[in-house]
Amino acid sequence: MNKIKCSLVLLPVLVLLLNSCASVPAEIDASYHEEVFFKNAQEAMDANQYNVALYYYEVYLVRYPENHDKTIAAEYEKALIYYKTKDYDYSKALFEQVLDRYENSPFAIMFPERYKILSEKILLQIDEKLNPKKKNK
C-alpha cells in the first residue's frame, strides 16, 4: 500500500521534472544548510521555474525529515506548485495530505498553523474550480 502511495506521489513529480524547460541542478552540495533549500526553491518559484522549486523541496524532504515544522512547509509548497500549474486533482490530494498530517501526526503540535489555514482555503478554491456552480439564467 505504501509503495502505491509513494508511486502516486513520485510519478507527477517525475513528469513535471521531465517536461519543464528549466533544468534542475545535477547535484546539490552536501554542505547546504536547510535554509538554502527554501531560499533556492522560493527564488525558483518567483521565476516560475516550478520544476526547480519542486526539486529543492523534494531533496529537502529526503535530507531533513526530522525537522517537522519545515517538512510541513515543504509539503505545503509542493502542493502549491501543483495548484499553480493547474494540476488541481493532484494538488488537492497533496493539500489533503498536509491537513491529514495536522490531524494525525504526533508532531502536529510543532507545525505552524498557517499551512493548515492556507491548505483549507486553497482546497475550497480547488473545489470551486473542479465543480463550478451552474449559474441560473
Side-chain angles (χ1 to χ4, degrees):
M1 181 74 168
N2 284 338
K3 288 183 180 181
I4 293 172
K5 281 185 179 179
C6 185
S7 296
L8 291 174
V9 170
L10 291 178
L11 181 61
V13 171
L14 293 174
V15 169
L16 184 64
L17 290 175
L18 292 174
N19 288 331
S20 60
C21 296
S23 61
V24 296
E27 189 175 315
I28 293 183
D29 189 333
S31 67
Y32 272 9
H33 187 269
E34 291 178 65
E35 294 304 318
V36 173
F37 288 93
F38 281 86
K39 177 186 166 291
N40 290 349
Q42 190 58 55
E43 287 174 357
M45 284 187 69
D46 292 346
N48 295 327
Q49 296 177 336
Y50 297 118
N51 63 319
V52 175
L54 189 60
Y55 179 78
Y56 279 109
Y57 289 126
E58 288 288 344
V59 173
Y60 177 85
L61 289 167
V62 170
R63 285 197 186 172
Y64 300 101
E66 71 283 351
N67 189 341
H68 302 289
D69 61 327
K70 294 280 190 186
T71 297
I72 199 73
E75 291 173 355
Y76 166 82
E77 293 293 343
K78 280 178 42 186
L80 186 61
I81 289 169
Y82 286 101
Y83 176 76
K84 287 184 173 189
T85 58
K86 299 183 182 194
D87 188 346
Y88 299 124
D89 290 321
Y90 190 61
S91 65
K92 180 179 179 179
L94 292 179
F95 282 119
E96 288 172 345
Q97 286 178 1
V98 168
L99 293 177
D100 184 64
R101 295 222 28 233
Y102 276 91
E103 295 297 320
N104 297 311
S105 173
F107 305 105
I109 194 148
M110 301 168 70
F111 299 160
E113 195 68 16
R114 68 181 165 268
Y115 301 113
K116 179 180 180 185
I117 294 167
L118 291 169
S119 293
E120 291 169 340
K121 287 182 179 183
I122 294 175
L123 277 172
L124 290 174
Q125 293 173 7
I126 291 171
D127 284 338
E128 289 174 5
K129 290 179 185 298
L130 293 176
N131 305 305
K133 295 178 182 174
K134 295 181 181 177
K135 294 182 180 179
N136 293 330
K137 293 185 180 182

